[in-house]
């Protein structure tokens, strides 16, 4: 069942990431292919790794590998596509919450006509909201410049508290993916929602690999 309400940033921060149940999906069970809105962005003829589909944004601003088992929320308040700005929410099929105890949520924001300074500001915001003591890494590929990190965040006395992912299983991942000329960037936030926080067993290696695959698959089209 699709969600049609906005998840506030504090809730998202607590959520964290879900995952690779997608790898076990086949086409007949995959909501990404069954959902009419989501499947309209996918090209199954383009080869990707198992558990992913090739995705092209509505305005052809960027492409990426879209995770199987996820769908795009088409509510007008949660989806926006313009020539210089795109905003998308990806939700993991809720059946996975019952099957494995947690499910994922991915949020993307694309911007164009940017500068290197704009990217620096966006990264500073990401680290303030989602980073543990500004911890992050930088990866430069032939196509993009990527700043990324992870952390564990929970609510304590109704306030979000961030912990070191080295001592707590990360439940959120974040990245700023920039074009080589700094004129385009995508902010990616990935969270995990646990059905029962106390008994939620998150595979750090698996979740990190899942997130890395997504952010490294992003290609700017302009």
């Amino acid at each position: 069942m699709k969600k049609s309400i906005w998840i506030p940033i504090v809730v998202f921060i607590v959520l964290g990431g879900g995952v690779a149940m997608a790898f076990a999906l086949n086409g007949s069970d995959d909501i990404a292919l069954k959902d009419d809105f989501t499947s309209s962005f996918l090209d199954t003829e383009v080869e990707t790794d198992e558990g992913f589909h090739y995705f092209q944004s509505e305005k052809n601003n960027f492409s990426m590998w879209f995770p199987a088992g996820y769908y795009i929320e088409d509510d007008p308040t949660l989806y926006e596509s313009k020539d210089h700005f795109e905003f998308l929410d990806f939700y993991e099929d809720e059946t996975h919450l019952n099957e494995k105890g947690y499910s994922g949520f991915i949020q993307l924001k694309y911007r164009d006509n940017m500068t290197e300074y704009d990217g620096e500001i966006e990264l500073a915001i990401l680290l303030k909201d989602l980073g543990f003591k500004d911890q992050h890494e930088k990866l430069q590929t032939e196509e993009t410049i990527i700043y990324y990190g992870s952390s564990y965040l929970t609510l304590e006395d109704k306030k979000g508290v961030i912990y070191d992912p080295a001592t707590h299983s990360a439940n959120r991942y974040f990245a700023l993916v920039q074009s080589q000329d700094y004129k385009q960037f995508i902010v990616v936030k990935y969270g995990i929602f646990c059905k029962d926080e106390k008994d939620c067993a998150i595979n750090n290696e698996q979740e990190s690999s899942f997130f890395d695959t997504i952010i490294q698959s992003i290609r700017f089209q302009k």
Side-chain angles (χ1 to χ4, degrees), residues 2-16:
K2 287 191 176 183
K3 303 177 179 66
S4 59
I5 58 174
W6 169 244
I7 295 181
I9 185 63
V10 172
V11 176
F12 167 76
I13 288 175
V14 177
L15 295 189

Side-chain angles (χ1 to χ4, degrees), residues 177-194:
V177 183
Q178 292 181 294
S179 59
Q180 291 284 0
D181 60 7
Y182 301 105
K183 292 182 179 180
Q184 303 173 82
F185 67 65
I186 294 178
V187 173
V188 186
K189 301 175 183 178
Y190 170 49
I192 299 170
F193 173 71
C194 290

Side-chain angles (χ1 to χ4, degrees), residues 19-20 22-23 30 42-44 46-55 64-70 106 209-215 217:
V19 233
F23 296 121
D30 190 353
L42 308 180
D43 185 347
T44 57
V46 179
E47 184 178 356
T48 63
D49 285 353
E50 182 180 359
F52 293 91
H53 306 292
Y54 181 79
F55 168 93
M64 61 177 286
W65 288 5
F66 186 91
Y70 279 71
I106 302 172
S209 176
F210 173 77
F211 186 69
D212 288 349
T213 297
I214 289 176
I215 61 178
S217 74

Side-chain angles (χ1 to χ4, degrees), residues 15-48:
L15 295 189
V19 233
M21 193 76 164
F23 296 121
L25 291 172
N26 58 46
S28 62
D29 298 326
D30 190 353
I31 193 172
L33 300 178
K34 292 193 298 183
D35 181 75
D36 290 340
F37 185 69
T38 305
S39 62
S40 68
F41 297 92
L42 308 180
D43 185 347
T44 57
E45 298 300 316
V46 179
E47 184 178 356
T48 63

Side-chain angles (χ1 to χ4, degrees), residues 123-192:
L123 177 60
I125 294 172
L126 261 181
L127 294 176
K128 179 181 178 181
D129 291 343
L130 306 176
F132 175 74
K133 295 183 177 180
D134 291 342
Q135 288 183 8
H136 69 285
E137 297 184 56
K138 178 181 178 180
L139 173 66
Q140 187 148 351
T141 72
E142 294 181 1
E143 301 282 345
T144 58
I145 304 166
I146 304 173
Y147 300 89
Y148 65 100
S150 65
S151 60
Y152 175 84
L153 193 142
T154 188
L155 286 178
E156 296 181 1
D157 296 325
K158 297 182 179 181
K159 294 183 179 180
V161 180
I162 300 172
Y163 288 97
D164 190 343
T167 58
H168 295 71
S169 293
N171 63 1
R172 62 198 174 106
Y173 295 79
F174 57 90
L176 173 69
V177 183
Q178 292 181 294
S179 59
Q180 291 284 0
D181 60 7
Y182 301 105
K183 292 182 179 180
Q184 303 173 82
F185 67 65
I186 294 178
V187 173
V188 186
K189 301 175 183 178
Y190 170 49
I192 299 170

